[in-house]
Amino acid sequence: WDDPEACLGFLQNCCDEGVGVGLVTSGKAQSELGLAHLLGPSHTGGDGNLKRAFQNHGSVACVPDMKPAPSSADSRARGRPRGFDVDAITERALAAFWEQGYEATSVADLLAATGLSASSVYAAYGSKQGLFRAAIQRYEEHMGRALGDLADGDGGLADVVEFVEHVRAGIGSDARPAGCLMVNTMVEVPARDPVIGELTSRYRARVRESLERALARAERSGEITRRCRARAALVQAALFGALVIGRAGGVDEADRMLRGLISEIGRWRR
């Protein structure tokens, strides 16, 4: 564990649930938290669950009170319903990640944004990565209607232009963070995180396929001639490029790019 808050949250959750855990903390976690803070009186004796703890070459082993394993009926009886709305919490986390980016959003930022304790976050999502995964999946759901209209609409080029206008409106909006959460994440995270990289790759493919389907309708209706895949790739590249520029602060430049793209699409008509 490099993140001391994550380490503490995970450990507290294990204590709350009576689960034994062996974990390794990095020097950073130990130096920032200190073993006394990480495994203080509330965690290591007295009225706490843990009976003993020891440190050995950066390792912390924790043993909870040993009790007979509960029956399945006992387990059901003691199960605690979540005291929060998972959808609302995911939305708050999405806003934090979108505003600051994955790497820059700390566990402390997420706790402040969601209003939850570390143990609740880790119980519900497993890790910061798990919460981020839920957030970007929610973002994809938000984009689902626009992508669905693009993929399955009744028009051809008109549907492509409508989607570009949707992206353009978002770049210039003060109501949400700059750029696209998915595109921002493609630039920042995937090389170091294959799980998140797979999610962004899937989204990238969905955008491209939706554009191809709209352009295929345009071809069938006689608006354009062939080259649907090449045209789709061009539109996607321009969209993603404009989103990156908008995220970097070049909102006016991004807007000019997308207006130019719309003009270019209009010239494709036969």
Side-chain angles (χ1 to χ4, degrees):
W1 294 85
D2 289 329
D3 187 330
E5 294 167 290
C7 181
L8 182 58
F10 175 79
L11 181 58
Q12 180 62 62
N13 185 59
C14 291
C15 294
D16 291 344
E17 299 298 329
V19 176
V21 59
L23 58 94
V24 177
T25 59
S26 71
K28 177 183 176 183
Q30 289 171 9
S31 63
E32 290 189 14
L33 281 175
L35 190 62
H37 177 66
L38 179 64
L39 297 171
S42 64
H43 298 93
T44 58
D47 296 329
N49 288 328
L50 297 180
K51 285 299 184 185
R52 61 186 173 85
F54 62 88
Q55 183 178 16
N56 182 18
H57 302 298
S59 298
V60 178
C62 312
V63 181
D65 283 337
M66 303 306 292
K67 298 179 181 179
S71 67
S72 57
D74 291 337
S75 297
R76 287 192 298 272
R78 74 175 190 146
R80 297 192 301 271
R82 285 178 183 151
F84 58 88
D85 183 335
V86 173
D87 288 340
I89 294 302
T90 302
E91 289 287 350
R92 293 174 197 165
L94 187 161
F97 283 126
W98 193 353
E99 181 69 38
Q100 299 178 194
Y102 177 74
E103 296 289 353
T105 304
S106 68
V107 174
D109 293 330
L110 292 171
L111 300 185
T114 60
L116 295 181
S117 66
S119 60
S120 293
V121 170
Y122 282 88
Y125 299 97
S127 64
K128 174 184 171 180
Q129 183 197 67
L131 180 52
F132 185 66
R133 192 181 311 166
I136 61 175
Q137 287 173 334
R138 178 58 54 83
Y139 181 85
E140 186 172 5
E141 291 171 10
H142 290 330
M143 289 295 295
R145 180 174 180 178
L147 287 170
D149 290 345
L150 177 64
D152 302 315
D154 297 325
L157 291 183
D159 289 332
V160 177
V161 169
E162 183 178 349
F163 185 73
V164 175
E165 289 284 16
H166 175 81
V167 173
R168 180 176 167 236
I171 288 177
S173 173
D174 293 328
R176 59 188 186 184
C180 162
L181 178 61
M182 286 290 194
V183 174
N184 298 346
T185 303
M186 290 174 202
V187 174
E188 179 189 10
V189 178
R192 298 184 299 280
D193 193 319
V195 174
I196 293 173
E198 175 60 29
L199 291 171
T200 57
S201 177
R202 184 183 68 190
Y203 179 80
R204 189 165 60 246
R206 183 180 178 187
V207 172
R208 183 178 62 253
E209 290 163 6
S210 297
L211 286 166
E212 288 175 358
R213 290 176 63 169
L215 289 166
R217 291 195 301 274
E219 182 183 354
R220 288 194 298 271
S221 69
E223 285 186 288
I224 63 173
T225 56
R226 299 184 295 176
R227 299 180 58 225
C228 292
R229 296 184 69 179
R231 294 178 196 270
L234 175 65
V235 173
Q236 184 176 29
L239 287 172
F240 285 10
L243 286 164
V244 171
I245 290 171
R247 175 70 172 184
V251 173
D252 291 342
E253 182 180 354
D255 186 73
R256 287 195 299 272
M257 286 179 63
L258 294 183
R259 284 190 283 110
L261 176 61
I262 291 169
S263 296
E264 177 62 25
I265 292 170
R267 286 192 286 270
W268 292 350
R269 287 189 172 87
R270 295 176 58 181

